[in-house]
Amino acid sequence: MNYDVVIGIEIHCELKTKTKMFSGAPTSFGMKANTCVNEIDLGHPGTMPAVNKQAVRYAIMACTALNMSVDTLVKFDRKNYYYTDLPKGFQITQQFHPIGSEGYLDIETEAGTKRIGIERLHMEEDTAKQFHLDALTLVDYNRAGTPLVEIVSKPDMTSGKEAAAYVSKLRETLFYLGVSDVKMEEGSMRCDVNISLKPAGSPVYGTKVEIKNLNSISNVQKAVDYEIERQSKIYDEGGKIAQETRRFDEATQTTVTMRLKEGSVDYKYFPEPNIFPIQLDPQWVKGIQENLPELPDQRRARYMNEYGLGSYDANVLISNKELSDFYEEVCKVAKDGKIAANWCISELSGALSKRNETLSTMKLTAAHLGALINMILDKEISGKQAKEVFEDVLEGKDPKEVAAAKGMKQVSDTSAILALINQVLDENPQSIEDFKNGKSRAVGFLVGQVMKKSKGQANPAMTNQLLNEELKKR
Amino acid sequence: METIKDKAYFKGLANRLMFDLNDEEATSIVDEFATLCQQLELLEAVDTTGVEPMVYPFETPTVYLRDDEEDHTISQEQAMANATKSLQGHFSVPKVVK
């Protein structure tokens, strides 16, 4: 039987603030347990939360990039539940008045661009990290109170590929905004997928299953694909889908039951009495919205228009912000953006992965790479020589100095090259004969001989052209 | 309204909140609480038919947002001071997940 797949995604993303959502204690990762906390984070009686301005700023930036409308009256609510991961006995969140609502994100699919609706974006606080040992649980409240945004999509996705494309696009957008580290493997971005199947065309939704613990984009795709197969099989066999929370199991590459959901939990939400509604200054909000950093889509379009890059090259650069930023610096010097892109994507990326380094650990400067590219464009050195010089440029050396020290220059003077060509032709009558008999390999051999005589300095393109002309004369 | 709470009640309440009340303090709270209850009885007499409940005492929103500057933390020892059980700087609690 054919089924329609319905997928919605919830993303939790830690904001990159210095301090917590409601307290002035530092946000941290990997610090000694319970050392980045104060009385507010530990829920001591009598403490009062105070909303972090930077967290609100970041939330507004995210809303704007996701084409959402921003509610300038900020309100918080209490989600009541009793568990050790939040010592107050409740989480402060925005249940009734999310700061952002009704937005969208465009993703690329095989069938073209698809618009994924975003229902809401709200601010809340993260919970403590718990370590479950054999007989007891250890709690570290360092993470408790870290600012989070939760972004809830509409159920607009229909495949593992689309789900992965959405998470990837959202991740890229938040990263370019600079509002979060978006490290899925470290948990600063977490992803829960809701998925249900229904008979094709049916208006009634099937039972929804939630998948948690998706710590990479490829696992999002794998988990969804697996889940579609699992649910189809159950329906095909006339079975029922249990309403449950599952998790992706890395070892078996399947989803497994975490817990069954029996009805929905009543969190007894009510407005947070310790935080009065906050009216944001519309001018402040406008200032944030009008000064967003360049977003990946905008940068992609600029690379294609300004530097004439193809969409493949543009995407390769965009997907690595560090490389993309470096490329822009190279382009400030290099006269040709397309050639600069080729160097960044192939030579530079190749060298980095070969050395297992990143741009930040290398001595290489963008200005030197730009200058090296110009030396090729100006025919000062050949492409082959440039690759040799590049090895030293990677170590932070000036390409002009390196080329001079190695005695490299490219001969582009017609009469000098012609003299060499005629010398080579005189020495190789057999090759001329071969050429006349249609053996094109002879040309390659002769070019090689000219290059050898010039100690690699003859301009190869010119040599090739002139040699062909001279051969025809003989 | 059933409002009479004695000293033992408040001492028990204080104990659950991890502090102690002496006799004098407990007596004073019993008296204050009785007064408070009488005042609430007065409020109950007000006719609120057709009046929307308010969440906050004032209707004007505030504008304050805290700057993202570190103010203070407490030490691990201070953080753990009220914990019945701790292990290697962590709060130790009974395990409630499988």
Side-chain angles (χ1 to χ4, degrees), chain A residues 386-405:
Chain A
K387 284 178 190 176
E388 199 185 325
V389 174
F390 182 59
E391 291 301 315
D392 288 329
V393 169
L394 282 169
E395 302 303 331
K397 291 185 185 150
D398 184 327
K400 292 251 182 213
E401 287 169 16
V402 175

Side-chain angles (χ1 to χ4, degrees), chain A residues 207-319:
Chain A
T207 305
K208 193 164 74 176
V209 168
E210 183 178 9
I211 314 171
K212 286 188 177 284
N213 193 32
L214 297 165
N215 60 2
S216 73
I217 287 166
S218 73
N219 282 356
V220 169
Q221 184 165 341
K222 285 181 204 161
V224 169
D225 287 342
Y226 175 82
E227 193 58 24
I228 292 171
E229 208 180 296
R230 187 187 74 89
Q231 293 191 19
S232 309
K233 201 166 164 236
I234 293 176
Y235 280 134
D236 282 345
E237 289 165 359
K240 276 187 172 173
I241 301 293
Q243 192 185 344
E244 58 180 352
T245 302
R246 300 174 73 86
R247 67 178 173 82
F248 184 67
D249 185 63
E250 196 92 45
T252 57
Q253 301 281 300
T254 61
T255 63
V256 294
T257 303
M258 265 174 95
R259 55 178 179 264
L260 286 171
K261 282 185 182 177
E262 285 165 13
S264 58
V265 186
D266 181 6
Y267 290 113
K268 302 194 190 317
Y269 286 103
F270 61 81
E272 169 56 54
N274 284 342
I275 304 173
F276 276 26
I278 301 161
Q279 179 61 59
L280 303 178
D281 175 359
Q283 286 306 315
W284 182 68
V285 175
K286 206 173 154 216
I288 295 168
Q289 295 186 307
E290 286 172 357
N291 291 291
L292 282 196
E294 186 178 47
L295 294 170
D297 278 350
Q298 294 166 336
R299 188 175 279 200
R300 192 174 288 116
R302 184 163 60 79
Y303 282 5
M304 292 168 75
N305 295 334
E306 223 169 89
Y307 301 129
L309 303 191
S311 69
Y312 178 81
D313 284 352
N315 278 327
V316 171
L317 289 170
I318 300 292
S319 67

Side-chain angles (χ1 to χ4, degrees), chain A residues 94-157:
Chain A
Q94 292 191 294
Q95 178 69 8
F96 302 122
H97 293 91
I99 186 163
S101 52
E102 292 303 318
Y104 63 83
L105 201 57
D106 289 334
I107 59 168
E108 296 308 317
T109 70
E110 278 158 11
T113 303
K114 180 170 176 179
R115 182 156 291 184
I116 307 298
I118 299 176
E119 194 167 297
R120 54 185 284 149
L121 179 151
H122 69 253
M123 297 178 281
E124 59 185 30
E125 55 181 331
D126 208 347
T127 56
K129 202 161 174 64
Q130 305 196 96
F131 303 91
H132 301 294
L133 308 183
D134 285 343
L136 46 87
T137 295
L138 298 181
V139 195
D140 171 8
Y141 288 107
N142 281 351
R143 197 182 68 186
T146 299
L148 284 184
V149 286
E150 180 176 331
I151 302 167
V152 184
S153 86
K154 294 198 171 167
D156 289 350
M157 287 151 279

Side-chain angles (χ1 to χ4, degrees), chain B residues 39-96:
Chain B
Q39 285 166 345
L40 288 177
E41 274 167 34
L42 288 176
L43 285 177
E44 275 194 342
V46 178
D47 180 8
T48 56
T49 322
V51 178
E52 282 291 308
M54 289 169 71
V55 175
Y56 303 97
F58 311 109
E59 292 193 322
T60 328
T62 57
V63 293
Y64 175 73
L65 289 169
R66 178 177 57 81
D67 283 328
D68 187 25
E69 299 297 338
E70 211 174 302
D71 68 39
H72 83 289
T73 51
I74 58 177
S75 70
Q76 195 185 59
E77 293 66 37
Q78 285 175 309
M80 310 304 296
N82 281 341
T84 333
K85 281 185 186 168
S86 64
L87 188 67
Q88 293 160 355
H90 291 74
F91 291 83
S92 172
V93 297
K95 194 175 174 183
V96 290

